[in-house]
Amino acid sequence: MQNRLAGRYLRRCGLLGLLLFAQAWLSSQSMAAQITVTDAAGEPLANAVLLIDGVPPRPDASYLMDQVDRQFVPHVLVVPVGAQVDFPNSDDVRHHVYSFSEAKPFELRLFKGEEAPPVMFERPGAVVLGCNIHDAMVGYILVTEHHRFAVSDAAGLVSLPDLPAGSWPVSWWHPAQFQQPPVALGELDLSQQGQTVSLPITPVVEGTAPTLSPLQQRFKSLQ
């Protein structure tokens, strides 16, 4: 009886050890990278996109570009080539969404709620969005062939969960580039904790008068 109990105990200990080893091995193969992105003045930079090349893609996801309080939400959306994007309108007014961008010119005429059909983005590039009813509405969709990507939040933080360990080629993009392509940063070891990436983006001076974006200027010239 005691021998049988001892045998069971040893088998359980062996199984537990195997599970702990498997968990440790999996943890060593992936990581959750968190990077702080700053502008040229060293201040946290929101809406900066980091693109990681050479890593496996994450599972397919759904993509939304909402309209809330007469703004595009999110301000910057990143999608893979071939993705469909839904354009729900959560406002109580109609919007008329359009883009003249080479990567995807399109127009969604006056709509509300979920009336607008999804839009497919077949080509890589930056797509700048506007609304011909509300001039202050400007949004961006970056269509990319990179497998991993993330956008910095208001504190400049970029989170990349389940990223394979190692150094990987990284590129960046920001709305200040308008329709220019992403810029290569070189290979980065994203496993380094507390890492900061500084981008050559000039901070916006508070109190300056807002100006129409090139997209809005072009739309106005066609009216």
Side-chain angles (χ1 to χ4, degrees):
M1 181 68 176
Q2 290 179 346
N3 290 337
R4 287 200 299 270
L5 291 175
R8 290 178 184 175
Y9 176 78
L10 290 174
R11 285 195 296 272
R12 289 177 181 174
C13 288
L15 180 59
L16 178 60
L18 182 61
L19 289 173
L20 291 174
F21 173 80
Q23 290 176 351
W25 184 85
L26 289 173
S27 297
S28 68
Q29 303 304 307
S30 64
M31 61 183 182
Q34 190 170 69
I35 303 159
T36 300
V37 182
T38 62
D39 60 22
E43 296 298 322
L45 181 62
N47 298 311
V49 179
L50 291 187
L51 305 153
I52 317 301
D53 204 2
V55 296
R58 299 197 71 191
D60 291 339
S62 57
Y63 301 97
L64 294 175
M65 177 58 82
D66 205 344
Q67 291 118 83
V68 181
D69 295 332
R70 303 185 185 187
Q71 297 292 330
F72 288 108
V73 178
H75 184 60
V76 175
L77 175 67
V78 188
V79 304
V81 171
Q84 283 194 335
V85 177
D86 289 309
F87 286 82
N89 179 1
S90 297
D91 281 337
D92 56 2
V93 296
R94 292 180 181 270
H95 291 300
H96 185 149
V97 176
Y98 67 93
S99 177
F100 293 120
S101 302
E102 182 178 348
K104 184 65 180 184
F106 72 97
E107 185 175 17
L108 297 174
R109 296 184 178 274
L110 288 169
F111 68 96
K112 62 180 180 179
E114 299 182 1
E115 295 175 345
V119 178
M120 179 174 287
F121 293 82
E122 306 92 344
R123 300 169 57 188
V127 179
V128 189
L129 309 173
C131 175
N132 76 335
I133 307 299
H134 309 100
D135 288 340
M137 288 182 63
V138 179
Y140 302 85
I141 297 178
L142 182 66
V143 189
T144 180
E145 293 178 324
H146 293 77
H147 289 158
R148 295 290 184 95
F149 41 78
V151 184
S152 62
D153 61 17
L157 292 178
V158 175
S159 296
L160 292 158
D162 302 324
L163 191 67
S167 296
W168 303 100
V170 179
S171 300
W172 67 274
W173 183 89
H174 187 268
Q177 293 176 265
F178 197 54
Q179 294 182 98
Q180 297 300 312
V183 179
L185 274 174
E187 285 197 1
L188 295 180
D189 181 2
L190 301 179
S191 63
Q192 297 179 14
Q193 298 300 316
Q195 190 169 184
T196 298
V197 173
S198 180
L199 301 181
I201 301 296
T202 303
V204 177
V205 178
E206 293 186 6
T208 56
T211 58
L212 294 180
S213 71
L215 175 69
Q216 294 167 320
Q217 295 173 22
R218 181 174 177 184
F219 187 87
K220 293 299 181 184
S221 68
L222 295 177
Q223 290 184 312

